[in-house]
Amino acid sequence: MIKLATVSPCYNEEAVLRYSADRLTELFSRMIADGLISPDSKIVFVNDGSHDHTWDTIKELNHHNKFVRGINLSHNAGHQNALMAGMMTAREWADAVVTLDADLQDDIECIPQMVRDFEAGNDIVYGVKVSRQADSFMKKTTAQAFYKFQSAMGVEGIYNHADFRLLSRRALDMLSTYQEHNLYLRGLIPMLGLPYSTVDDVISERLAGRSKYNLHRMMRLALNGITAFSVRPLFVVYNIGFLFIIIGFLIGLYVGYSLIVGHVVQGWASLMLSIWLVGGFILISLGVIGTYIAQIYTEVKGRPLYHIIETLS
């Protein structure tokens, strides 16, 4: 039997923690009875600088529930860094780690199959969303668009997979060697090159509270993912710039022709259109290049990803 740990980042998740702990405890009890996991497997909640009573709730659960462990970060390090903190702590004693969000919108009934796939020799088992009926139209649409755009930009990943996955200790040890600060685990983990499988993940509705991944956070994650794993946007900008040179050359020919035949008009509209078009492209180009420079700036500082101030065992 393997020693399993689930790791869930928590940012202002007070409303759902007791429900989530109860569901995971019931699942663990069944898996222990079936001989799938060891009785000393754990449910790990990582408090990511919450402003509500999330940490107090975790401490209470730890006191009454033998499965629950807690990790308290000193500040809000972000979802990906909180995941990393939980995984790197759990790898010290767990044979495998399953990461999932604290709201349990992912199908936790997939976890027994993940464990079986792990025992069959897969170091990584991805939960792949096969239904998004519980997601809002906006979230569903933007997520689908992001996966397609990510693929077009040359970022390798698992389509329709977020952060619901199982990782073996070997995978965690390999992941620990990556020193990147702009973490995008969905892109990093496939780079490990280890044997993997997938399970079907049917998303359910959130029981309480609200999703912490608003449009701004989703856009920031998408930008991190693309710029951390692909330089294709720079080549796209280069190609568009080359296209603009061709357009400018054609406009020059048109202006020369107009001068020759004497059809010189005010040209205000075409002039303004050219200025705005070229100006907009220049600003976009500077933004793309600036984003890469910002990524370099963050990486070279070499600051810690997170600080753990308290751990409940």
Side-chain angles (χ1 to χ4, degrees):
M1 291 189 294
I2 73 165
K3 188 185 294 186
L4 180 71
T6 61
V7 171
S8 300
C10 305
Y11 179 67
N12 296 338
E13 296 288 6
E14 174 190 3
V16 299
L17 276 178
R18 290 182 178 85
Y19 166 79
S20 299
D22 287 345
R23 283 198 62 196
L24 287 170
T25 298
E26 190 274 332
L27 176 67
F28 270 40
S29 298
R30 279 193 281 122
M31 293 174 70
I32 292 170
D34 293 339
L36 278 177
I37 61 174
S38 167
D40 51 356
S41 297
K42 298 295 179 183
I43 301 165
V44 181
F45 292 120
V46 183
N47 179 40
D48 186 22
S50 300
H51 301 300
D52 62 0
H53 296 288
T54 292
W55 181 241
D56 293 332
T57 304
I58 293 173
K59 289 196 290 186
E60 179 186 338
L61 290 168
N62 171 257
H63 181 71
H64 294 101
N65 189 327
K66 66 178 182 178
F67 292 116
V68 174
R69 280 190 173 185
I71 298 172
N72 191 21
L73 304 186
S74 61
H75 69 289
N76 179 231
H79 181 270
Q80 299 289 284
N81 289 337
L83 272 178
M84 197 69 167
M87 290 189 296
M88 293 301 103
T89 301
R91 79 183 176 105
E92 298 175 1
W93 48 267
D95 300 312
V97 169
V98 172
T99 58
L100 71 166
D101 290 339
D103 56 20
L104 299 193
Q105 284 192 275
D106 293 299
D107 186 4
I108 64 171
E109 296 301 326
C110 294
I111 294 178
Q113 185 58 49
M114 286 179 162
V115 172
R116 294 187 187 97
D117 286 3
F118 164 71
E119 291 179 329
N122 294 288
D123 287 282
I124 306 169
V125 184
Y126 298 102
V128 176
K129 296 178 175 65
V130 294
S131 172
R132 287 182 172 268
Q133 293 182 358
D135 284 342
S136 66
F137 174 79
M138 177 62 72
K139 185 173 182 180
K140 187 188 306 182
T141 303
T142 53
Q144 298 282 0
F146 165 65
Y147 288 122
K148 292 177 181 177
F149 182 65
Q150 176 181 255
S151 177
M153 288 295 102
V155 182
E156 294 185 9
I158 305 298
Y159 185 75
N160 258 341
H161 162 72
D163 288 300
F164 181 40
R165 66 179 76 87
L166 177 145
L167 296 173
S168 69
R169 183 179 294 176
R170 179 168 71 156
L172 292 170
D173 287 341
M174 293 174 67
L175 185 62
S176 70
T177 64
Y178 286 79
Q179 302 299 315
E180 298 175 37
H181 287 73
N182 298 297
L183 273 181
Y184 184 65
L185 294 170
R186 303 176 199 182
L188 273 181
I189 291 172
M191 291 178 63
L192 300 179
L194 294 172
Y196 73 90
S197 65
T198 63
V199 296
D200 292 343
D201 179 22
V202 179
I203 301 299
S204 59
E205 293 186 7
R206 187 181 177 92
L207 177 71
R210 59 186 180 85
S211 173
K212 308 307 181 296
Y213 258 93
N214 53 31
L215 183 60
H216 172 72
R217 286 175 179 263
M218 290 174 66
M219 291 294 293
R220 186 172 179 178
L221 180 67
L223 191 63
N224 250 357
I226 292 168
T227 56
F229 289 91
S230 175
V231 295
R232 190 170 293 180
L234 294 176
F235 290 102
V236 170
V237 169
Y238 171 82
N239 291 329
I240 294 176
F242 188 72
L243 176 64
F244 270 56
I245 291 174
I246 295 175
I247 293 173
F249 177 73
L250 294 175
I251 291 175
L253 291 178
Y254 170 74
V255 171
Y257 171 77
S258 298
L259 288 172
I260 292 171
V261 300
H263 294 298
V264 181
V265 294
Q266 294 88 345
W268 181 88
S270 59
L271 179 62
M272 292 302 294
L273 178 62
S274 299
I275 291 173
W276 281 99
L277 195 62
V278 175
F281 172 72
I282 291 172
L283 289 176
I284 291 173
S285 303
L286 289 175
V288 171
I289 296 168
T291 300
Y292 279 95
I293 294 173
Q295 296 280 48
I296 296 170
Y297 172 70
T298 303
E299 293 293 339
V300 298
K301 286 188 292 188
R303 293 174 180 172
L305 295 179
Y306 51 83
H307 293 288
I308 297 174
I309 57 174
E310 187 176 357
T311 302
L312 304 177
S313 57

